[in-house]
Amino acid sequence: MNTLIFTILALSILALVLAVVLYLVAQKFKVEEDPRIDDVSEMLPGANCGGCALAGCRAFAEACVKADALDDLFCPVGGPAAMSQIAQYLGKAAPEKEPMVAVVRCAGACDKRERINIYDGALSCAVTANLYTGDTGCSFGCLSKGDCVRACTFGAISMNETTGLPEVKEEKCTACNACVKACPGNIIELRKKGPKNRRIFVSCINKDKGGIAKKACSVSCIGCIKCQKACTFDAIIIENNLAYIDYSKCRLCRKCVPECPTGAIVEVNFPPMKSAAKEETTA
């Protein structure tokens, strides 16, 4: 019995000594954290989406506290309101940034692209992209397996069963960039929402020559440069047989839209365009 008591007592004393040693070591090497990090974290939405290109909201808060200026830091979910609050609290300047939204640069619905084979593997765009070029003749278009939908934590993207394409609910989109990263074909892009949420973009990324692209998809860009000639603001670039509208230069005049012979240029939230016949009658 005495041996048992002695053993328990010895172990208890050893545990106490080790606890004291660990405490002293922890105190000696502990890192003092700026209390403002906690305060800034409270100002953030707590989505931890990675849209700021950092590992969660706390990492973003730490970066804001340590940075000399907030020019290169922006929380897409909290937006200008959150950044303004953080800037005011830290006494730093926060440049205003225009709201962004995700757009799907593929209009190749099921009735626009002929299906040439059937894929019955894993329902993943990433897996499909590593195996082959898709079910249709367009090797650049949407693979329709919904990786972008699963990546979005805000419910801003859904697959349209009729068209087989993802659709973005702009009122829910936070421009966190998760869907952009999830798409192996790079068909999703963040663009400025624009005044009155109006924007114009080329909904195609097919880089094949015109005839090949048109055969694969009836609404593909064929690189005909008609849109570029119509633009008076040098906002349209033609490269690798594909037109691209630079949103920083585009003035939303819509002159390019009727010039596109395939309808590859998409206009969002605009009123119906007056036809030339109506304008002549009015005149």
Side-chain angles (χ1 to χ4, degrees):
M1 180 64 72
N2 291 336
T3 304
L4 179 61
I5 294 175
F6 177 78
T7 303
I8 293 174
L9 183 62
L11 290 174
S12 299
I13 294 172
L14 179 62
L16 181 61
V17 171
L18 289 175
V20 171
V21 171
L22 288 173
Y23 173 77
L24 293 175
V25 171
Q27 290 299 310
K28 181 176 179 60
F29 294 103
K30 73 176 181 179
V31 178
E32 294 291 342
E33 191 175 68
D34 194 321
R36 294 179 299 171
I37 295 175
D38 288 327
D39 295 336
V40 173
S41 294
E42 291 296 323
M43 300 175 189
L44 295 169
N48 292 312
C49 61
C52 59
L54 294 171
C57 292
R58 186 164 185 82
F60 180 78
E62 185 176 355
C64 288
V65 170
K66 292 181 177 180
D68 295 327
L70 303 179
D71 296 3
D72 299 324
L73 294 167
F74 185 75
C75 171
V77 181
M83 293 308 301
S84 177
Q85 185 182 9
I86 293 170
Q88 186 175 1
Y89 172 74
L90 296 176
K92 301 175 182 179
E96 290 190 13
K97 294 188 178 182
E98 292 190 47
M100 307 287 281
V101 67
V103 299
V104 179
R105 293 189 58 208
C106 177
C110 297
D111 61 337
K112 309 296 183 185
R113 289 187 289 169
E114 182 183 356
R115 185 180 290 271
I116 58 175
N117 55 58
I118 297 176
Y119 171 76
D120 60 356
L123 292 178
S124 165
C125 298
V127 173
T128 305
N130 283 322
L131 295 176
Y132 77 138
T133 58
D135 299 335
T136 70
C138 177
S139 60
F140 296 89
C142 178
L143 295 171
S144 305
K145 301 299 185 291
D147 284 18
C148 54
V149 177
R150 292 185 286 274
C152 181
T153 58
F154 303 98
I157 304 183
S158 60
M159 294 299 296
N160 185 311
E161 293 182 1
T162 303
T163 63
L165 297 172
E167 294 181 344
V168 178
K169 303 178 184 69
E170 62 180 56
E171 68 278 3
K172 291 186 177 182
C173 180
T174 62
C176 70
N177 209 46
C179 59
V180 177
K181 293 178 180 178
C183 179
N186 299 315
I187 70 162
I188 302 179
E189 177 190 14
L190 293 184
R191 295 180 71 90
K192 289 183 181 179
K193 277 190 174 182
K196 297 183 180 180
N197 289 338
R198 295 175 179 175
R199 49 198 174 274
I200 297 174
F201 60 94
V202 178
S203 189
C204 180
I205 61 167
N206 194 322
K207 296 178 182 178
D208 288 329
K209 290 185 178 180
I212 299 173
K214 183 68 184 298
K215 184 178 180 180
C217 177
S218 61
V219 290
S220 67
C221 173
I222 56 176
C224 65
I225 74 171
K226 287 185 177 180
C227 56
Q228 187 181 51
K229 289 181 178 179
C231 182
T232 56
F233 303 102
D234 296 324
I236 301 180
I237 304 164
I238 306 292
E239 192 173 279
N240 295 323
N241 308 306
L242 179 66
Y244 178 79
I245 298 176
D246 184 347
Y247 58 74
S248 65
K249 295 180 179 180
C250 179
R251 296 297 178 266
L252 306 177
C253 68
R254 295 201 285 176
K255 289 181 181 179
C256 60
V257 178
E259 293 297 323
C260 181
T262 62
I265 300 179
V266 175
E267 51 180 344
V268 182
N269 295 327
F270 283 89
M273 190 178 292
K274 294 180 180 180
S275 65
K278 286 184 178 181
E279 289 180 355
E280 289 176 7
T281 303
T282 305

